[in-house]
Amino acid sequence: MYLSLVIPVYNEEESLPLLFDAIHNALDSLQEKWEVVLVDDGSKDQSLKVLEELAEKDTEHIRVVSFRRNFGQTAAMAAGIDHAKGEIIVLLDADLQNDPADIPMMLSKLDEGYDVVSGWRIKRKDTFITRTLPSNMANGLISRVTGVELHDYGCTLKAYRREAITGFRLYGEMHRFIPVFAHSVGAKIIEVPVNHHPRQFGEAKYGLERIVKVILDLFTVKFLLTYSSKPIYLFGGAGIGIISISAALLIFLAIRRIFFNISVFGSPLFQISAMFFILGFQSILMGLIAELQVRTYHESQRKPTYTVRKKINIE
Ligand code: UDP
Ligand code: MG
């Protein structure tokens, strides 16, 4: 199997037949074998029934995974990736906002040696204030914090080489950070402009609450990327910083006592210094506990702390 499309589906009954036609138009001329893994994320409309009919008509290409209830887009994408057999995996939305016609162009970019081809909706067809603007701000922030500069993290349409995408698990709403994780395992990324269409059927599944989630996710991602194998550097670093403040206060108090004869206990500075000392000490202890956790994390899953691109003369 060469190519797997992975598509999360939640209440998209009207879009699915058209999506299916668009995929055929885009891929029928492909020489290699391809499949579409559609994950029904506990849809409440007739999506599953439509998928069953499509799968019956096209047993060669269509695979369907159906969740017992709605687990969210990230879980649906993760399940699709788990069931995909292709050496190339292309993610896209089911709502016809992404255009399967872009896929051959993305495949040719992978052939040029990239591991991730990231779609960028240059002419985005969503409402500006509630969707495009917050998304632009989020893209800037994510690029800055993670150091992976992309214009459009929110665009699902992206193509991945299998090795770039299967080395990590996705939690919560983390699907938009897949390129960041891919980058962290050494993937080469390129951005390409892709088509975007307004939503024709059904409704968008997200509102403004997504902004808060993205910001919280970004904290997690940054922490995992930078400190997941060395948490003591973060907690211990903070702890040493706080203890230094405590020490500086104590020295200040001592100098005042010795040279100016001002009582150490006459101001709250001594108590504040003690408080900083305890805080700093706690933070270092927290770092040590995090170090224990990290060992469990890596060793329970035999997760190596490195990724290898190639081996020469090694079996
Ligand atoms: N989706 C899903 N589970 C959910 C919400 C959404 O599988 O709980 C799917 C949805 O069917 C669509 C894709 O995720 O294929 C993106 O959803 P939507 O178009 O609402 O999001 P946006 O375009 O705003 O990113
Ligand atoms: Mg959409």
Side-chain angles (χ1 to χ4, degrees):
M1 184 68 66
Y2 167 67
L3 168 67
S4 300
L5 307 191
V6 168
I7 308 180
V9 178
Y10 183 53
N11 298 347
E12 310 279 6
E13 54 184 5
E14 297 108 319
S15 304
L16 291 171
L18 292 172
L19 175 72
F20 182 71
D21 291 342
I23 291 173
H24 264 284
N25 281 339
L27 299 186
D28 276 345
S29 57
L30 213 67
Q31 300 297 316
E32 288 92 343
K33 279 178 87 174
W34 56 273
E35 63 173 2
V36 188
V37 184
L38 295 127
V39 183
D40 165 47
D41 186 12
S43 295
K44 296 187 176 62
D45 64 358
Q46 297 298 307
S47 294
L48 179 58
K49 207 161 150 267
V50 177
L51 289 177
E52 279 168 356
E53 284 164 16
L54 292 173
E56 205 171 310
K57 264 191 262 163
D58 185 353
T59 47
E60 192 195 337
H61 297 117
I62 306 271
R63 329 237 176 274
V64 177
V65 178
S66 177
F67 282 176
R68 284 183 183 276
R69 65 166 173 85
N70 179 248
F71 284 93
Q73 187 182 349
T74 301
M77 288 160 84
I81 294 167
D82 288 342
H83 289 86
K85 300 231 161 57
E87 52 188 282
I88 287 169
I89 295 176
V90 173
L91 298 172
L92 71 156
D93 284 345
D95 57 3
L96 298 170
Q97 292 200 268
N98 295 138
D99 190 345
D102 286 317
I103 295 173
M105 172 269 296
M106 300 175 91
L107 296 179
S108 69
K109 280 285 167 202
L110 288 178
D111 279 344
E112 286 174 23
Y114 293 98
D115 302 302
V116 178
V117 179
S118 170
W120 171 14
R121 299 164 292 181
I122 283 198
K123 298 203 180 101
R124 195 163 164 186
K125 303 282 171 34
D126 281 323
T127 48
F128 183 72
I129 293 289
T130 56
R131 326 214 90 211
T132 310
L133 179 72
S135 158
N136 286 348
M137 288 173 7
N139 288 318
L141 188 68
I142 299 173
S143 298
R144 248 198 110 101
V145 172
T146 62
V148 184
E149 302 266 339
L150 290 183
H151 288 92
D152 198 353
Y153 275 97
C155 178
T156 310
L157 180 56
K158 297 186 195 304
Y160 301 87
R161 227 171 265 290
R162 166 174 282 280
E163 315 85 80
I165 195 176
T166 45
F168 42 85
R169 305 291 313 167
L170 298 169
Y171 294 88
E173 311 247 320
M174 292 288 200
H175 59 268
R176 77 184 55 247
F177 295 103
I178 295 175
V180 177
F181 290 115
H183 182 263
S184 79
V185 297
K188 274 197 276 182
I189 306 181
I190 187 166
E191 208 167 25
V192 294
V194 295
N195 294 317
H196 192 238
H197 306 291
R199 200 179 236 286
Q200 298 176 44
F201 308 105
E203 46 199 51
K205 274 84 194 172
Y206 302 102
L208 287 172
E209 82 285 351
R210 179 149 70 174
I211 297 172
V212 180
K213 290 186 180 166
V214 169
I215 291 173
L216 292 176
D217 280 345
L218 189 55
F219 276 108
T220 315
V221 169
K222 177 72 187 170
F223 177 73
L224 287 178
L225 284 185
T226 319
Y227 298 109
S228 73
S229 64
K230 253 346 230 156
I232 189 75
Y233 290 169
L234 178 67
F235 293 106
I240 287 174
I242 296 171
I243 288 181
S244 309
I245 298 176
S246 162
L249 279 175
L250 277 185
I251 292 170
F252 172 70
L253 288 174
I255 292 173
R256 262 200 339 184
R257 178 75 189 81
I258 294 165
F259 295 106
F260 304 98
N261 206 19
I262 301 175
S263 162
V264 168
F265 301 105
S267 73
L269 285 180
F270 183 75
Q271 282 90 327
I272 292 176
S273 162
M275 193 188 75
F276 272 118
F277 180 81
I278 295 168
L279 265 182
F281 194 66
Q282 294 274 15
S283 184
I284 293 174
L285 291 185
M286 210 139 75
L288 292 175
I289 292 179
E291 286 284 324
L292 285 182
Q293 301 263 27
V294 161
R295 279 155 183 69
T296 317
Y297 169 78
H298 283 284
E299 279 155 37
S300 63
Q301 305 172 39
R302 303 249 168 89
K303 241 173 129 34
T305 49
Y306 53 83
T307 54
V308 175
R309 185 181 296 278
K310 196 175 348 181
K311 297 183 191 178
I312 298 169
N313 292 347
I314 294 180
E315 279 301 292

